[in-house]
Amino acid sequence: MRKYKRIASIFVAATLTASLFAGCQKSPEKEIVSNKDMDNMIEQAQDTQSSTTEVAEVAKDYDTYQTDIKDDSLHVTVHADAQVDIPDTSQLSIFRVQQMQFDQAFLDQVRTTLFGEQTLYDGTCLSQLTKADYESEIQAGKDDIAEIQNNNLYSDDDKEVMIQERQSNIDECQAKYETAPEAINYTGSPSDNQIHSISELVSNNPSNEYYSWQSEFDGANASIFYGINDASNGSYQSLYLQNNENYGNLIRYRSSKLGYINVGSSVMSGGNYSDAVPEEYKFAMEEAHWVWPADEDMPIDKISEESGMAKEDFIENTKDVTTISEADARQKAEDLLQSLGMHDFTYYSGGLVTEVTEYNKIEALRQSLGGAPYRTVYAFRYQRCIDGVFVNNDGGSKIVDEWQGDTYNKKLWSTEDVVVFVDDDGIVGFDYLVPLEVTDTVVEKSTLKNFDEVKDIFEQMAITMNAVNSEEASDGNVTIDIDSVKLRYTRISEKDSFDTGLLVPVWDFIGTKTDQYGYEVHDAIIMSVNAIDGTVIDKNLGY
């Protein structure tokens, strides 16, 4: 018998990641942490008398960086044996950026590239429940009741309450089953292929629960497009676009021969996090529960810890096949980006992965297949490149989550990313998340601190920022292993502005952190040091 009837989506808040890398003690009142003056930084960037502007000169003596630091009183050990990566460019600058809104022309380009001349339908029709859906819900409820009855962890009173809840849901589903359609009525919901504001969609479709849900995100000035095909070509294709001032602008596309994948299931693009997913593959998590390298075994211990599921609860999706070579798959991905005019993006990382995907009507699929489906695909990550330098915001998102007077204000500005998924059918997934546009060059050819100064800052702060407080000292020590140091761009906040930021050059110290409880994070940004003024950047705060 299945242990769990449904896979729960795993969304760990960004604050969990923040807490891992934040020291438990108060931040030291040192200039490199506390004195973050944007005007001063820009002045330093322009001061060619004090610092060099030549990128090749800042770390000319460092092909590698090695050091060992240990502080027994603060319970931290740092080891560095790292490749120092300097971009092959003549200059680094400061740029002002903002989020780019998707326009109708780009949507049309994406739609025709991925769907051709197919007729599309309103994606919200997927929320229509058929007789088969209600049958699945009824059976799931009966299975739940059987498990509750046989579970000795619950008291008799608790069992009675839970069984009554399940039975009430079964009775409700049974009543709705009588009038439910046999199949989804696609032709009753043709798409006009246009981006519409949420307010307009709600006004024109007051009984549509999906649009009503979208409208609950107040003050976002949001607009969306959500379209699907009818799968008459053998592939279930879906495309979602949103422009949302609070939660980010994004496009998501998925295709599968097994069923529709939920691309319109969430407004916020904050990233899905799971301990079972390696850090270097979390970029592929937008519409998946778990992802792991295809040449490795399913990380079932961690998956089971998070979900209660066992290996026998999963089954291979044999309809979506990947035998294509990685080189051919990469070519298909890059052909897609070129056809969409996305010339500013360069391959960053990726490979062949196995994913447990978020399908629409997953319960019916699981019952028909005998388990939760997983498939193997290529996942390729692309990032913006300016003059040969990557723009990377891994390690944090800009977040506002607070009450301002009587108004609750929540905003998110996460990492710009482009991800392309490929199998033998071609492009089966495309994410374009939080697109940036450069609005101004603030400083052309910025000055840069010498790496000797930057490494001293790292060595000074690495212990302090990761110290274990006295209450947790008995649990163990923090161990940090740095294996890579990269000079690249990242986005930081501007004073008194959520909607604009500055791209500045930073030194990212990357490696593995093992906390005092033994929890490891690989390929993590341990510290980001501003390459202009030497301040330490907190990516979760955005500066």
Side-chain angles (χ1 to χ4, degrees):
M1 183 175 291
R2 295 165 301 163
K3 292 184 178 180
Y4 269 65
K5 299 299 181 292
R6 300 170 182 84
I7 305 174
S9 294
I10 299 175
F11 298 99
V12 178
T15 50
L16 179 61
T17 305
S19 65
L20 176 63
F21 295 104
C24 298
Q25 74 299 328
K26 293 182 180 179
S27 297
E29 292 302 318
K30 296 184 181 291
E31 181 179 1
I32 56 178
V33 174
S34 61
N35 186 18
K36 297 181 179 180
D37 186 321
M38 297 299 173
D39 293 334
N40 181 60
M41 180 194 69
I42 292 171
E43 287 179 9
Q44 288 191 48
Q46 297 168 326
D47 183 8
T48 58
Q49 300 300 313
S50 301
S51 301
T52 183
T53 62
E54 300 301 322
V55 178
E57 293 294 314
V58 295
K60 63 181 180 179
D61 298 327
Y62 291 91
D63 291 329
T64 61
Y65 165 58
Q66 297 173 322
T67 193
D68 286 285
I69 315 167
K70 186 175 183 180
D71 190 314
D72 292 330
S73 64
L74 295 179
H75 306 280
V76 181
T77 299
V78 178
H79 170 72
D81 187 0
Q83 183 75 29
V84 178
D85 185 5
I86 307 294
D88 183 14
T89 185
S90 61
Q91 66 182 45
L92 290 165
S93 303
I94 300 177
F95 302 99
R96 181 167 288 109
V97 294
Q98 64 184 19
Q99 278 201 59
M100 180 189 75
Q101 278 212 342
F102 292 112
D103 59 21
Q104 185 63 45
F106 189 71
L107 171 62
D108 291 341
Q109 196 172 8
V110 172
R111 178 178 54 80
T112 55
T113 300
L114 297 173
F115 290 86
E117 298 302 317
Q118 293 183 76
T119 299
L120 298 191
Y121 302 91
D122 185 348
T124 67
C125 69
L126 291 177
S127 61
Q128 296 178 18
L129 296 180
T130 65
K131 289 187 182 299
D133 295 324
Y134 285 116
E135 288 172 355
S136 296
E137 285 294 315
I138 290 168
Q139 186 59 52
K142 292 178 178 179
D143 291 345
D144 279 346
I145 289 175
E147 287 192 6
I148 292 168
Q149 290 172 331
N150 295 323
N151 193 322
N152 295 325
L153 296 177
Y154 304 125
S155 67
D156 289 342
D157 289 343
D158 287 341
K159 286 183 179 182
E160 182 178 354
V161 171
M162 288 188 287
I163 289 172
Q164 286 179 353
E165 290 176 349
R166 302 306 191 277
Q167 187 60 52
S168 175
N169 186 62
I170 290 172
D171 294 342
E172 183 179 346
C173 288
Q174 188 64 56
K176 293 181 178 179
Y177 172 87
E178 303 302 328
T179 57
E182 293 287 346
I184 294 174
N185 180 18
Y186 296 102
T187 57
S189 305
S191 174
D192 64 2
N193 299 326
Q194 301 294 304
I195 302 171
H196 291 281
S197 70
I198 292 298
S199 58
E200 176 190 357
L201 291 169
V202 171
S203 176
N204 294 338
N205 305 272
S207 62
N208 188 302
E209 294 183 1
Y210 179 85
Y211 296 145
S212 297
W213 167 71
Q214 287 263 9
S215 70
E216 293 174 3
F217 298 87
D218 296 333
N221 192 27
S223 58
I224 67 167
F225 168 81
Y226 187 14
I228 61 172
N229 71 345
D230 62 2
S232 59
N233 64 349
S235 294
Y236 297 84
Q237 298 171 262
S238 49
L239 176 65
Y240 174 76
L241 175 152
Q242 77 175 33
N243 290 315
N244 188 302
E245 291 180 357
N246 287 353
Y247 301 125
N249 308 331
L250 59 88
I251 289 178
R252 293 181 182 142
Y253 164 81
R254 290 296 185 275
S255 175
S256 172
K257 291 185 175 180
L258 189 61
Y260 294 106
I261 295 173
N262 279 337
V263 296
S265 58
S266 64
V267 166
M268 189 187 307
S269 175
N272 305 343
Y273 295 91
S274 163
D275 291 350
V277 180
E279 191 74 20
E280 65 268 30
Y281 283 103
K282 286 184 177 177
F283 70 86
M285 285 285 290
E286 285 299 324
E287 301 301 339
H289 294 288
W290 298 285
V291 176
W292 62 92
D295 59 358
E296 297 181 8
D297 292 335
M298 178 186 291
I300 190 59
D301 290 344
K302 291 183 178 179
I303 289 175
S304 181
E305 183 179 328
E306 293 175 354
S307 68
M309 301 178 73
K311 194 167 186 177
E312 57 267 25
D313 295 321
F314 297 91
I315 190 167
E316 183 179 4
N317 168 5
T318 57
K319 292 186 176 182
D320 294 337
V321 178
T322 304
T323 61
I324 188 175
S325 71
E326 181 168 348
D328 288 344
R330 276 271 302 276
Q331 189 60 56
K332 288 180 181 294
E334 288 168 15
D335 288 346
L336 171 68
L337 299 188
Q338 292 302 308
S339 69
L340 296 177
M342 299 174 63
H343 307 300
D344 295 334
F345 292 87
T346 300
Y347 175 77
Y348 187 80
S349 64
L352 192 63
V353 302
T354 303
E355 60 174 7
V356 179
T357 311
E358 174 62 38
Y359 282 93
N360 182 262
K361 303 186 186 301
I362 183 61
E363 185 58 35
L365 262 182
R366 290 189 64 188
Q367 289 186 14
S368 65
L369 296 172
Y374 60 86
R375 69 176 184 175
T376 299
V377 297
Y378 285 104
F380 300 127
R381 186 185 192 189
Y382 291 80
Q383 292 204 317
R384 183 178 298 275
C385 236
I386 299 177
D387 297 328
V389 184
F390 281 111
V391 179
N392 180 283
N393 260 82
D394 289 349
S397 299
K398 185 177 180 181
I399 299 171
V400 173
D401 190 357
E402 62 187 6
W403 285 95
Q404 296 179 345
D406 295 332
T407 302
Y408 178 63
N409 188 24
K410 185 166 186 176
K411 294 184 177 183
L412 176 72
W413 189 355
S414 52
T415 300
E416 180 184 47
D417 248 337
V418 172
V419 185
V420 183
F421 299 83
V422 183
D423 71 5
D424 287 359
D425 284 336
I427 306 299
V428 294
F430 171 59
D431 294 332
Y432 188 4
L433 310 176
V434 197
L436 296 179
E437 61 179 343
V438 176
T439 61
D440 183 28
T441 300
V442 179
V443 177
E444 181 86 21
K445 201 168 187 177
S446 169
T447 62
L448 301 166
K449 281 192 174 296
N450 190 284
F451 185 69
D452 281 323
E453 297 178 76
V454 172
K455 75 175 183 61
D456 288 345
I457 293 168
F458 171 77
E459 291 168 8
Q460 178 184 349
M461 296 305 302
I463 294 292
T464 310
M465 290 177 65
N466 294 281
V468 180
N469 65 26
S470 57
E471 290 80 6
E472 297 176 315
S474 61
D475 294 314
N477 297 329
V478 170
T479 302
I480 294 171
D481 289 290
I482 303 297
D483 55 36
S484 177
V485 182
K486 297 179 184 291
L487 178 60
R488 55 191 180 184
Y489 286 115
T490 199
R491 189 194 74 238
I492 63 173
S493 303
E494 288 200 272
K495 184 179 180 181
D496 301 325
S497 174
F498 186 89
D499 302 317
T500 64
L502 297 177
L503 293 186
V504 300
V506 299
W507 287 98
D508 281 335
F509 291 78
I510 303 166
T512 298
K513 177 176 178 177
T514 306
D515 70 11
Q516 63 268 35
Y517 308 109
Y519 176 70
E520 289 188 356
V521 176
H522 300 274
D523 297 299
I525 297 177
I526 305 300
M527 190 184 301
S528 286
V529 179
N530 189 314
I532 299 171
D533 64 8
T535 56
V536 176
I537 295 171
D538 185 333
K539 291 195 173 184
N540 289 289
L541 295 176
Y543 57 85

